[in-house]
Amino acid sequence: MKDIKLTDAEKVLMEILWENKNIFMKDILEAYPDPKPAATTIATLLKRMQNKDLVGYTLYGNSREYYPKVEKGEYFKEEMTSMIDRFFNSSVTQFASFFTSNSKLTQKQLKELRDIIDKQIKE
C-alpha cells in the first residue's frame, strides 16, 4: 500500500466502510454520527478516496455500492510505521520505551505486553 494519509473526515467514512464492507450511499448517510454531513459532502469524500485508490464501487443501475479497497489492519499498520518513522527515527525500541513510560500502564498491562513479546520471540 502506498503511503496515503486520510483526513479526519475520510477516517470517519472509512470506519463506516470497514464496518459495513459493502454499503450504498443512503446507508452511509444513516450510519454517520450526528451531525450528519450533506450527501454532497460524502460524495466528494468518496470521490477523493477513490482517487487515492482506497474506495471502490459496484454500479447497480443508478446506485453505487461502495467498498473499502484497503483493509483496516493494513491501513493501521502503515499509519503506525509512518508515526514511528517520523517521531522515533524508525526505532521501534524508542517507540516502545516512550509508550511504556508515558502511557501510565498498569502492572497487569505491562505483563500482558511482555507476554506478547515473549510469544513473538518464541515463534
Side-chain angles (χ1 to χ4, degrees):
M1 182 178 116
K2 47 190 167 182
D3 192 27
I4 301 281
K5 298 291 178 226
L6 293 174
T7 65
D8 288 342
E10 291 170 340
K11 286 177 186 174
V12 171
L13 182 51
M14 280 304 291
E15 286 293 341
I16 291 169
L17 292 169
W18 284 322
E19 185 176 318
N20 292 278
K21 308 289 186 239
N22 296 292
I23 187 168
F24 290 95
M25 175 65 87
K26 67 177 184 60
D27 300 317
I28 292 172
L29 284 166
E30 288 177 17
Y32 248 89
D34 289 326
K36 297 182 186 299
T40 53
T41 302
I42 295 173
T44 299
L45 288 172
L46 286 166
K47 181 66 176 160
R48 200 177 338 158
M49 293 163 69
Q50 288 170 46
N51 291 339
K52 293 179 179 182
D53 203 29
L54 296 171
V55 173
Y57 66 87
T58 305
L59 198 57
Y60 296 99
N62 292 330
S63 297
R64 293 180 181 186
E65 184 179 43
Y66 295 95
Y67 57 88
K69 291 178 78 173
V70 62
E71 292 181 22
K72 186 176 184 176
E74 181 183 347
Y75 179 76
F76 182 72
K77 178 182 169 189
E78 290 293 325
E79 281 287 293
M80 288 301 299
T81 300
S82 175
M83 183 194 69
I84 290 169
D85 289 347
R86 283 191 325 264
F87 296 111
F88 301 98
N89 300 316
S90 301
S91 171
V92 175
T93 305
Q94 285 181 20
F95 167 72
S97 175
F98 175 84
F99 177 74
T100 56
S101 63
N102 291 293
S103 296
K104 301 197 188 309
L105 297 172
T106 66
Q107 288 296 312
K108 181 181 179 203
Q109 291 168 323
L110 287 168
K111 183 182 178 323
E112 288 170 352
L113 280 174
R114 185 179 64 207
D115 292 345
I116 291 168
I117 292 168
D118 287 344
K119 182 180 177 189
Q120 290 297 314
I121 290 170
K122 291 177 185 175
E123 291 180 357

